[in-house]
Amino acid sequence: MRMTTRFLISAGAAFLLATVPFVSREAFAADAPAAASTPRVLSIGGDITEILYDLGQQDKIVAVDTTSQYPADALKDKKSVGYMRALSAEGVLSVNPTLIIASDEAGPPEVVNALKSSGVRYITIEDKPTADGVSAKVRHVGNLLGADDAAQALAAKIESEFATLKAARKEIKTRKKVLFILAIQNGRATVAGAGTAADSIMQLAGADNAAVGVSGYKPVSDEQLTEFAPDAVIVMRRGESDQHKAGQALTLAGLRQSPAAKTDKLIEMDGLYLLGFGPRAPSAARDLMKSIYPEAGQAAAMP
Amino acid sequence: MTIADSKTESAVMIPSRPSRSSVFMALTALLFFMALLSLAIGPTGISLHALPRALAAYLGYTSDSAAERDRLVLIDLRLPRTLLAAFVGAALATSGAMMQGLFRNPLADPGLIGVSSGAALAAIATIVLGHGIAAPLVAPLGIYALPLAAFVGGLITTIILVAIAGRHGQLAVGTLLLAGIAVGALAGSISGFIAYASDDRELRDLTLWSMGSLSGASWQKVFAVTPFAIAIGFVIPRLTRGLNGFLLGEAEAMHLGIDTEQIKRLTIATTAAAVGAAVAVAGVIGFVGLVVPHVMRLISGPDNRIVLPGSALLGATLVMVADMIARMAVRPAELPIGVVLALIGAPVFLHLVLRRGMGGWE
C-alpha cells in the first residue's frame, strides 16, 4: 500500500507541478476577445503565406503552419500551428484567429470540420500547380482581405510573367529531357513523375519530364534511371550541409552514362521556390529554364 | 469495480503487497483527477471556471460568442478527447493484460493476434487507394472510411488467425502465436507495397497515422466506442478467474475445471474488438498494451482480479496524461501521442523494472 500510494501520489504531484506554468500563464491571457476591426489571419499553406506577404498583409497574420518557409520571417515572427495535415483544433483556436485561410490539403478532416463549425471564418483555397492556378489563388486571397487592387496588380504581374515565359518556350528548338530527384536514399533516387508540382514546373520551363511512366514521387532502380537518360538533373537544395549529398546525383550508377553526367548538368534549386506555386512560380520557372537552356538567348528577353 | 469473493486470499499473493481495494481506490482517484485536469488544460487557456458558461451555451440559454467558444472547446473538443483517451488507454492496457495472461508470455501484446497489423493494412489501403481505385468505396463514407476500415481490417485478420489455429476444433495457443507472426509479416509487406505506391502527401498521412493522435476526437467517435467500453467492462470479471488458472498452464487450468476453450475464444474476441476500436479512433498507439500490465503486476502481483481492472484504470490514466502533454508541449501545434507515450513511459518503466524485478514472471 505505502509503496503504491507513494508512487501514484508522487507521479500525480510531479505532473501537476509540470502543468502549473501552462495553467497560470495562460489563465491571464485567456478570454481576451479579439478586436473586431482588423482580421486576425491564420495562414495554412506556404503559398498562401507567401501571397499574404506579397500583398503587404503580413501584419494581419497571427499564425502560420510549418510549410510557410518563405519569407523566412513568417515562421520566425508568427506562431506556428504545426504541420498543415496534423492540426489541432484547440491549438488553432488558441491563437484567436478571426479568419482562417487554408490550403485544401489542410487536415485531419475532423479538425477541419470542428474549425468550420467553430464560428471562425474558414476559407479553403484550391491548390492547383498551374499558371492559372497561381493568379486565381492571388485574387482569392486578396479579395478575402479587401486588398483587391494589390491582388489584381500582383496577379497581372504573374500573368504577364507567365506570358513572357510562354513566348520564350516557343523559341526552344530542341526540348530537353529533365529528371527531378526529390531524394537519394541508400543510393536509390526518388524521382518526380506525372502529376507532381515538379512535373508542372518542368513543363513551364519548357522541358520534358525524363521520368516517363512514373506518376507521383517514386523511388526507381538504377536500371530504370538508365532508361530515362536525362539531359539535366534537378535536385532540391536543403542547406549547406546537404550539398555533398546532392552532388551524388550524377554519380548514381544509373545516371553515370546519361547526357546530364557527361555535360555535368546538375541544377540545384530551393524546394519551396521551385515547387511552391506561389507568386514566385514564374521566376522559378524562368530560373529553371535559364539553367536548362543556358546557351539560348531567350533568357535575356525576360524581365 | 465489484469483483466477488475476496475471502479466499490468492495463493500467489505476497503478503507485503497492497490490498486490492486500496489499489483500486488509488487508481480510481488518480483517473478522476487526471480526467478533470484533462478537461481543465488546453492551448486556449480556457479552464474549468468556464464550465457553467459552456453548459449554458450547450443547453441553449445563451448564444453569446464567448460562451459558444467555451462550449466548443470544453464540450465538443476536450470532453470527447478525454473520454476517448480513457477508452483507448483502458482498451489497449486490458487487451495487453489478457494477451500476456493467455500466452503466458510477458512480451505478448495485442498485436500478436493480428488486430494491429490488419487494422494498419486496411488504414494504409484507405489512405493511399482512397483517391484512386478504392474511391467508389471510400468516398461515400467520408471521414468515417478510415476508422471503419481499420476496425474491419483488424477483425478480419483475427478471424483468419483463429480459423488457422482452431482447425482441429481446439484453439492451439502456440499455433496462434506463430501464425500471428506470419500473418503480421504478410500484412506488413502488403502495407509496404501499398505505401510504395503512395505519393508524398499520403506518405506523410501514413506516418502521422502510425504515430497515433487523439486530435480527431469527436462525439461520434465516443458514441461509436461506447458499446466496446461496456463490453470490456462486462467481460473482465468473467475472465479473471480463468486467466488466473492459465498462470499455471493451460492443462492445469483445465484440470481446475476451467473451460479453457471458452476463455481463449472470449479473450481473443474481446481483444480484437477492443484493440480494433481503439486503433480505429486514435491510430496506432503502442507501448500501453505492453507496459501497463507489467506496471500493474509490479504494484499488485500477478492476480488477474487486480491486474485486469487495474490495467484498465492505469492505461486510461496514462493515455490521458500523454494526451495532455501532446497537446500542450508544442502548442499551438500538437505532438503525436505515440511519441509522447514512449518518451515518458519507457524511462519510468525501465526504472520500475530495475527496482522491482520482472513482476511475477520470474
Side-chain angles (χ1 to χ4, degrees):
Chain A
M1 172 65 206
R2 253 167 282 130
M3 199 83 151
T4 323
T5 6
R6 219 187 316 140
F7 170 70
L8 293 177
I9 289 173
S10 55
F15 181 72
L16 196 61
L17 277 177
T19 59
V20 163
F22 296 123
V23 179
S24 52
R25 198 192 321 154
E26 306 266 311
F28 298 106
D31 297 328
S37 50
T38 49
R40 295 171 55 86
V41 179
L42 168 62
S43 168
I44 301 171
D47 49 345
I48 296 168
T49 305
E50 210 174 313
I51 292 170
L52 288 168
Y53 269 82
D54 270 9
L55 295 177
Q57 303 292 319
Q58 61 270 28
D59 293 340
K60 294 178 186 163
I61 304 178
V62 290
V64 296
D65 78 317
T66 52
T67 65
S68 301
Q69 302 279 347
Y70 183 90
D73 290 347
L75 270 173
K76 228 182 286 161
D77 298 347
K78 316 289 181 188
K79 282 184 186 165
S80 160
V81 294
Y83 177 53
M84 66 156 142
R85 306 263 325 143
L87 299 171
S88 146
E90 209 192 323
V92 165
L93 292 176
S94 74
V95 300
N96 278 315
T98 57
L99 171 63
I100 301 171
I101 309 179
S103 151
D104 51 7
E105 303 251 295
E110 293 94 343
V111 170
V112 171
N113 284 350
L115 290 174
K116 281 177 178 167
S117 68
S118 70
V120 179
R121 200 164 162 225
Y122 187 103
I123 305 291
T124 306
I125 304 285
E126 203 184 351
D127 190 17
K128 266 193 301 191
T130 61
D132 293 343
V134 178
S135 45
K137 263 192 287 201
V138 169
R139 287 204 179 87
H140 193 170
V141 171
N143 180 261
L144 289 172
L145 291 164
D148 291 280
D149 292 344
Q152 190 55 40
L154 181 59
K157 178 172 160 265
I158 291 168
E159 275 161 2
S160 90
E161 283 174 2
F162 272 127
T164 319
L165 201 64
K166 195 174 176 184
R169 277 203 299 274
K170 290 218 175 92
E171 305 276 306
I172 296 166
K173 285 165 199 93
T174 44
R175 284 170 74 93
K176 290 192 175 165
K177 282 197 299 181
V178 180
L179 185 69
F180 180 87
I181 298 182
L182 181 72
I184 300 172
Q185 246 166 5
N186 298 331
R188 223 158 64 123
T190 299
V191 305
T196 60
D199 187 74
S200 302
I201 203 89
M202 279 181 223
Q203 310 292 342
L204 286 169
D208 290 326
N209 192 346
V212 181
V214 178
S215 75
Y217 294 96
K218 292 282 153 57
V220 292
S221 67
D222 275 325
E223 204 173 317
Q224 210 172 357
L225 281 179
T226 7
E227 292 252 304
F228 295 155
D231 299 311
V233 171
I234 313 170
V235 291
M236 288 204 323
R237 194 187 303 132
R238 288 201 175 95
E240 300 302 311
S241 59
D242 210 39
Q243 269 175 354
H244 62 284
K245 209 175 166 189
Q248 293 172 359
L250 291 179
T251 62
L252 287 170
L255 290 177
R256 238 173 266 153
Q257 304 288 318
S258 67
K262 281 174 189 154
T263 55
D264 201 20
K265 200 85 188 115
L266 183 73
I267 302 166
E268 273 185 74
M269 281 180 88
D270 177 72
L272 184 69
Y273 177 54
L274 191 65
L275 307 177
F277 275 86
R280 293 180 300 159
S283 88
R286 187 192 60 210
D287 286 357
L288 185 60
M289 188 187 268
K290 272 189 202 164
S291 308
I292 299 172
Y293 304 102
E295 66 286 348
Q298 69 261 45
M302 308 278 285
Chain B
M1 244 40 63
T2 54
I3 285 131
D5 79 303
S6 52
K7 286 162 287 177
T8 50
E9 193 73 351
S10 174
V12 281
M13 286 266 278
I14 296 166
S16 73
R17 292 246 157 82
S19 78
R20 216 196 300 174
S21 57
S22 66
V23 170
F24 286 145
M25 256 154 42
L27 285 177
T28 312
L30 189 67
L31 176 69
F32 275 97
F33 174 71
M34 287 304 172
L36 274 180
L37 203 60
S38 170
L39 271 180
I41 67 170
T44 49
I46 293 173
S47 190
L48 279 183
H49 62 76
L51 193 59
R53 227 172 14 165
L55 280 173
Y58 178 71
L59 297 171
Y61 290 123
T62 170
S63 54
D64 164 51
S65 71
E68 283 294 333
R69 188 179 138 103
D70 293 343
R71 177 192 64 91
L72 178 77
V73 170
L74 287 177
I75 297 177
D76 289 341
L77 296 178
R78 278 193 212 156
L79 189 54
R81 214 179 153 136
T82 304
L83 293 173
L84 269 189
F87 168 78
V88 167
L92 293 175
T94 318
S95 302
M98 289 193 290
M99 288 293 103
Q100 290 171 9
L102 186 69
F103 289 110
R104 288 192 293 136
N105 185 331
L107 287 177
D109 80 359
L112 270 185
I113 53 162
V115 216
S116 318
S117 50
L121 172 57
I124 288 172
T126 311
I127 290 172
V128 177
L129 307 177
H131 302 291
I133 53 171
L137 214 63
V138 169
L141 292 169
I143 60 171
Y144 302 107
L146 185 60
L148 214 60
F151 181 70
V152 174
L155 221 53
I156 289 177
T157 320
T158 306
I159 290 171
I160 293 174
L161 271 180
V162 170
I164 293 173
R167 273 172 313 155
H168 306 299
Q170 270 195 345
L171 207 54
V173 170
T175 314
L176 190 66
L177 192 70
L178 293 175
I181 292 169
V183 170
L186 192 64
S189 100
I190 302 174
S191 301
F193 186 75
I194 299 175
Y196 174 80
S198 67
D199 69 21
D200 201 33
R201 179 189 131 173
E202 289 157 357
L203 207 58
R204 277 176 170 243
D205 281 354
L206 292 183
T207 316
L208 289 168
W209 186 82
S210 69
M211 292 192 285
S213 172
L214 286 160
S215 80
S218 64
W219 278 110
Q220 285 98 316
K221 286 187 180 172
V222 173
F223 294 140
V225 300
T226 304
F228 296 98
I230 295 171
I232 296 171
F234 186 75
V235 167
I236 287 176
R238 279 156 188 76
L239 279 178
T240 48
R241 194 176 143 299
L243 285 178
N244 273 352
F246 267 75
L247 281 174
L248 306 169
E250 195 179 329
E252 288 79 353
M254 210 162 73
H255 291 308
L256 285 173
I258 293 165
D259 185 348
T260 52
E261 234 12 65
Q262 195 206 354
I263 294 291
K264 281 188 279 188
R265 287 179 191 270
L266 194 57
T267 305
I268 288 166
T270 314
T271 301
V275 176
V279 173
V281 293
V284 180
I285 297 182
F287 193 76
V288 179
L290 183 66
V291 160
V292 169
H294 281 287
V295 175
M296 267 323 289
R297 268 184 232 108
L298 290 172
I299 292 173
S300 70
D303 184 356
N304 280 310
R305 289 174 304 172
I306 305 185
V307 171
L308 282 192
S311 294
L313 295 170
L314 192 61
T317 309
L318 182 64
V319 173
M320 263 194 286
V321 171
D323 182 50
M324 279 185 260
I325 295 173
R327 69 175 106 129
M328 292 307 282
V330 293
R331 83 215 121 91
E334 190 163 312
L335 283 173
I337 190 169
V339 176
V340 179
L341 267 173
L343 202 65
I344 56 165
V348 171
F349 179 58
L350 208 59
H351 172 73
L352 284 175
V353 168
L354 290 178
R355 223 181 53 180
R356 302 211 36 188
M358 285 290 284
W361 287 111
E362 287 165 323

